[in-house]
Amino acid sequence: MSLDGLLSDWLSALREFSVEAVVVLGPDPFGGVEDRQVVAVHPPLLADAAKALADSHDFGAPWRASDAPLVAWQHIAKSDSLDTSRWRQLWLAHGFQTVVRVEFPLPVGRAFECFMFSPRELTDRAEAASIVWSAMNIWPLVRRSIATARSMLSPRERECLMLAFEGRTAKESAQRLRCSERTINYHISNAMNKLRVDNKMAAIQRACWLGAI
């Protein structure tokens, strides 16, 4: 299933909680620690509001560095940042009142962030907890779809990087994939070029940030 189709089905399951929009942000693999990209948004007509959220520093790296929780729940209209936060103004303009955020950490201070928006205020923590639980349950499927939609690597390049991530040498990877060490190194080199890095460890990190491994 496509990523958009998966998010559409997820929103259908969340209707009992009045969740009507989902946004997934991911790190910019070629940017700084605070740079984020919109990985997915549904419905698509909210793309501008999602982009404004990605461009803001709200819930970003400084917030995570302060030992903030992986889960956040806010009534958008009651936020202290309302006057200065463009993304809040845009989401309010679309009729949304509440956002629930769940973070899925990645190496070196990056993370995928899943935001679920509702046009009403949630009545209690139990509702927010149910939304969070739904996100955690579906995330493995969403992440696999992200890897397919977002990765610039070939399946073999991803496989070689995954084996390197597991700590396998080129020789061990070659035995696992039944090919030569030269072939393994060829695919690793191609992946490094695509990810614009000059060493294997950096390639592994960026592949993680893309959701490829």
Side-chain angles (χ1 to χ4, degrees):
M1 180 182 294
S2 70
L3 180 55
D4 189 65
L6 182 59
L7 294 182
S8 178
D9 285 354
W10 183 19
L11 279 180
S12 295
L14 286 173
R15 280 177 183 164
E16 63 177 300
F17 303 108
S18 299
V19 172
E20 295 184 3
V22 174
V23 174
V24 179
L25 302 185
D28 181 347
F30 306 112
V33 66
E34 296 184 30
D35 296 327
R36 301 180 294 184
Q37 298 176 330
V38 178
V39 175
V41 54
H42 194 85
L45 61 86
L46 296 168
D48 287 346
K51 179 66 163 54
L53 176 57
D55 290 342
S56 77
H57 288 168
D58 291 356
F59 308 106
W63 189 75
R64 295 195 296 271
S66 64
D67 295 325
L70 300 181
V71 174
W73 164 29
Q74 287 189 4
H75 292 146
I76 303 172
K78 296 180 179 179
S79 170
D80 293 336
S81 304
L82 178 60
D83 293 334
T84 58
S85 181
R86 180 172 177 268
W87 74 266
R88 287 187 172 87
Q89 294 173 355
L90 288 174
W91 284 96
L92 283 170
H94 283 290
F96 291 94
Q97 296 293 319
T98 300
V99 59
V100 176
R101 172 195 177 274
V102 184
E103 177 178 309
F104 299 95
L106 293 167
V108 199
R110 268 67 164 184
F112 283 112
E113 299 166 90
C114 183
F115 296 84
M116 294 147 286
F117 291 87
S118 173
R120 67 174 179 83
E121 293 188 8
L122 302 185
T123 57
D124 54 39
R125 290 181 178 273
E127 279 191 303
S130 295
I131 294 171
V132 170
W133 183 247
S134 172
M136 296 180 72
N137 277 337
I138 201 170
W139 179 249
L141 289 176
V142 173
R143 178 158 180 167
R144 283 198 290 272
S145 291
I146 288 172
T148 300
R150 198 174 186 228
S151 178
M152 60 187 68
L153 304 175
S154 72
R156 187 61 97 183
E157 289 161 358
R158 288 175 56 195
E159 197 169 18
C160 290
L161 283 180
M162 177 66 78
L163 291 170
F165 180 70
E166 294 173 359
R168 297 179 187 273
T169 64
K171 181 178 180 179
E172 291 169 337
S173 296
Q175 291 172 344
R176 176 74 174 270
L177 299 180
R178 298 181 180 178
C179 62
S180 68
E181 290 183 51
R182 182 176 179 180
T183 298
I184 297 294
N185 290 329
Y186 171 78
H187 288 304
I188 294 288
S189 178
N190 280 347
M192 288 165 52
N193 288 334
K194 290 180 180 179
L195 295 170
R196 306 179 202 169
V197 294
D198 58 8
N199 64 80
K200 183 166 60 177
M201 182 58 68
I204 291 170
Q205 287 181 353
R206 288 195 175 179
C208 287
W209 300 342
L210 283 167
I213 62 175

